[in-house]
Amino acid sequence: MADAALRLQNLFAQLLGAPLPVRLRAWDGSQAGPPGAPTLVVHNRRALRRLLFKPGELGLARAWVAGDLDIDGDLYTALDLMSGLVWERGEDARTLAGALRDPEVRAAVRGLVKLAGPPLPPAPPPEEVRRTRGHLHTKRSDRRAISHHYDVGNDFYEVVLGPSMVYSCAYWQASETKGGTLEDAQRDKLELVSRKLGLSPGQRLLDVGCGWGSMAIHAAREHGVSVVGVTLSQEQAAYARKRVADEGLTDRVEIRVQDYRDVADGPYDAISSIGMAEHVGAERYLEYAGDLFRLLKPGGRLLNHQIARRPRRDESAYSVDEFIDAYVFPDGELAPLGTTVTQLERAGFEVRDVESIREHYALTLRRWVANLESDWATALRLVSPGRARVWRLYMAASALAFEHNRIGVNQVLAVRTPDSGDSGLPLRTRTWN
């Protein structure tokens, strides 16, 4: 009798303390759970062994990346339904050790072990980062982390990001949220950054973490500035240089494979750091802010565009998301907005404006997911199935996180205000010039 789905449903309800809010379909074809709900497809027993050997988010992530688990139905709805019960359970005060003191939970674990089959731990998917011992956020470890995320093929990123090749939150005008193009919204974001920085012909701009060159090209072409863009990704740099050449901007844009800590040709009139500071790490953040402060001339502006997490009551309890750390952004760290502002001020900056664009990132991520899903066959020709599954899951889950205010994204404008106190900014800070 095919009854694996019903058995799993009962076991998970015992383990989690509540029924799964999605339908289950097991490897034997059986189904159980609420009709009409998205279906969690358990393709094989190996998925259960992954959960047993790595309970929690990492076990689920490994099963998803390996294709042992899937979702039949709307991915966003499924993730939303399961988030509080599964992915956020690690924030519950009830620890695994405490749960195992419950006889019913111990019985459920024994039942899951029996259903899972031979107790051999499956190897992690090849897309998982292989950790090496050493300090975080050294120049070497940062190069390795950046390469893992960005050097997966420029053609793949073209599928996901579209023609703009901008891998950060777009800026959606009210009229564009319905039917507006991603390319228009990304152009508007680059223009917003340029206006906040007050770019004008003859100035020098440093673009830290320049990606595929979109900000550098926009600033040079639309505002007449000279730009140095730095990235740790060889593939990004090669792509950006070709774009610069195709635009006829080689006399105004230089793309370097260089760590921001090694930039020594200041002063610059302005610095843009868009979606890069998340890679810096808490221990290095003051150093990052200090380096950028020294690279600016007096009166120069910094636009720091950065994802933020919600603050915790006990900040020492913060830990990096296991799935993101293992498969997406190795060694990446998120900080509360207040922490970022404090560190910029400690480095000497005067923080003049903070703009939250949290909802804009949810809209952006949903467009990226749609791009990936609509050209899934091409994506699978360009990267491994596991890699494509990583990107689909992390972007969809991140969209929900932004929508529910679990994380945010902010543009912080800071100035290296001279001793005279003249910031060079207008009295009304939202009148950018």
Side-chain angles (χ1 to χ4, degrees):
M1 179 179 178
D3 64 350
L6 182 59
R7 293 170 66 190
L8 280 174
Q9 183 191 47
N10 292 333
L11 290 171
F12 284 141
Q14 286 179 285
L15 286 168
L16 297 170
L20 276 179
V22 295
R23 195 163 177 79
L24 273 173
R25 184 164 72 240
W27 57 89
D28 62 356
S30 62
Q31 298 191 48
T39 301
L40 179 64
V41 183
V42 186
H43 285 297
N44 51 58
R45 298 172 188 265
R46 186 171 56 247
L48 307 184
R49 293 198 291 275
R50 292 190 188 279
L51 290 172
L52 286 166
F53 282 97
K54 279 291 181 183
E57 185 172 329
L58 187 56
L60 284 167
R62 286 176 172 176
W64 172 270
V65 175
D68 302 328
L69 289 179
D70 210 340
I71 297 292
D72 188 0
D74 186 73
L75 178 60
Y76 295 103
T77 302
L79 292 175
D80 215 9
L81 288 170
M82 292 191 295
S83 62
L85 191 61
V86 180
W87 280 281
E88 294 173 21
R89 181 155 287 258
E91 296 188 10
D92 198 303
R94 181 186 179 193
T95 64
L96 180 62
L100 288 174
R101 287 195 290 268
D102 185 330
E104 290 189 6
V105 173
R106 289 201 305 272
V109 171
R110 287 195 296 269
L112 198 59
V113 169
K114 184 176 180 181
L115 191 58
L120 297 174
E127 293 80 9
E128 186 169 315
V129 172
R130 299 298 184 261
R131 293 295 181 188
T132 58
R133 292 182 180 180
H135 295 290
L136 294 181
H137 301 296
T138 64
K139 293 177 183 179
R140 180 179 180 183
S141 69
D142 282 353
R143 282 195 303 272
R144 188 164 54 243
I146 293 298
S147 179
H148 171 86
H149 187 79
Y150 294 103
D151 291 340
V152 299
N154 293 326
D155 291 344
F156 174 72
Y157 275 106
E158 286 181 338
V159 170
V160 175
L161 304 180
S164 66
M165 287 301 282
V166 180
Y167 195 24
S168 55
C169 176
Y171 192 71
W172 299 86
Q173 305 293 345
S175 61
E176 292 178 349
T177 56
K178 295 181 179 180
T181 69
L182 175 62
E183 288 66 46
D184 287 344
Q186 290 292 14
R187 182 203 60 228
D188 289 346
K189 189 270 300 296
L190 299 177
E191 181 59 21
L192 178 68
V193 171
S194 299
R195 286 188 284 116
K196 287 182 176 182
L197 289 173
L199 299 182
S200 60
Q203 290 185 330
R204 296 184 74 212
L205 169 69
L206 174 64
D207 187 27
V208 179
C210 66
W212 292 272
S214 298
M215 177 63 199
I217 290 170
H218 180 90
R221 184 183 60 214
E222 304 298 329
H223 296 273
V225 300
S226 297
V227 188
V228 172
V230 296
T231 175
L232 294 179
S233 168
Q234 295 282 353
E235 290 193 20
Q236 281 188 333
Y239 190 97
R241 287 166 182 157
K242 184 179 185 305
R243 291 181 72 193
V244 168
D246 290 346
E247 291 277 350
L249 294 171
T250 53
D251 60 329
R252 276 187 277 166
V253 178
E254 178 188 0
I255 303 296
R256 303 174 184 168
V257 178
Q258 187 177 34
D259 193 292
Y260 72 92
R261 288 164 282 195
D262 294 329
V263 176
D265 59 348
Y268 288 87
D269 298 279
I271 297 177
S272 53
S273 179
I274 306 173
M276 176 271 173
E278 298 88 343
H279 297 288
V280 171
E283 291 185 5
R284 298 281 187 180
Y285 203 91
L286 186 58
E287 176 187 354
Y288 157 82
D291 284 342
L292 301 192
F293 183 84
R294 286 188 292 273
L295 285 167
L296 277 173
K297 72 174 189 180
R301 302 181 191 180
L302 164 68
L303 192 286
N304 189 74
H305 174 122
Q306 181 178 341
I307 298 172
R309 61 177 172 85
R310 302 296 297 166
R312 301 176 66 103
R313 290 183 180 179
D314 178 9
E315 279 294 314
S316 66
Y318 168 69
S319 60
V320 179
D321 181 282
E322 285 187 304
F323 167 58
I324 298 295
D325 191 47
Y327 288 98
V328 187
F329 292 108
D331 305 337
E333 297 178 45
L334 300 183
L337 172 61
T339 301
T340 295
V341 169
T342 296
Q343 294 290 64
L344 291 172
E345 290 182 328
R346 287 181 64 196
F349 282 106
E350 180 188 7
V351 172
R352 294 299 303 250
D353 187 80
V354 177
E355 181 176 6
S356 172
I357 53 174
R358 173 175 61 82
E359 295 88 348
H360 295 250
Y361 219 157
L363 292 167
T364 305
L365 283 155
R366 283 181 176 265
R367 298 298 178 99
W368 289 344
V369 172
N371 285 347
L372 178 59
E373 291 178 339
S374 67
D375 208 359
W376 187 252
T378 300
L380 293 183
R381 288 198 301 271
L382 298 172
V383 296
S384 69
R387 181 77 66 186
R389 291 171 66 82
V390 165
W391 257 245
R392 181 171 179 246
L393 177 62
Y394 111 78
M395 292 191 299
S398 296
L400 292 171
F402 282 106
E403 288 170 358
H404 293 304
N405 193 28
R406 291 195 287 270
I407 54 177
V409 61
N410 306 281
Q411 289 191 349
V412 179
L413 179 68
V415 181
R416 180 174 175 170
T417 305
D419 293 340
S420 67
D422 182 7
S423 70
L425 286 165
L427 291 176
R428 294 180 61 227
T429 56
R430 292 301 168 105
T431 304
W432 304 115
N433 54 32

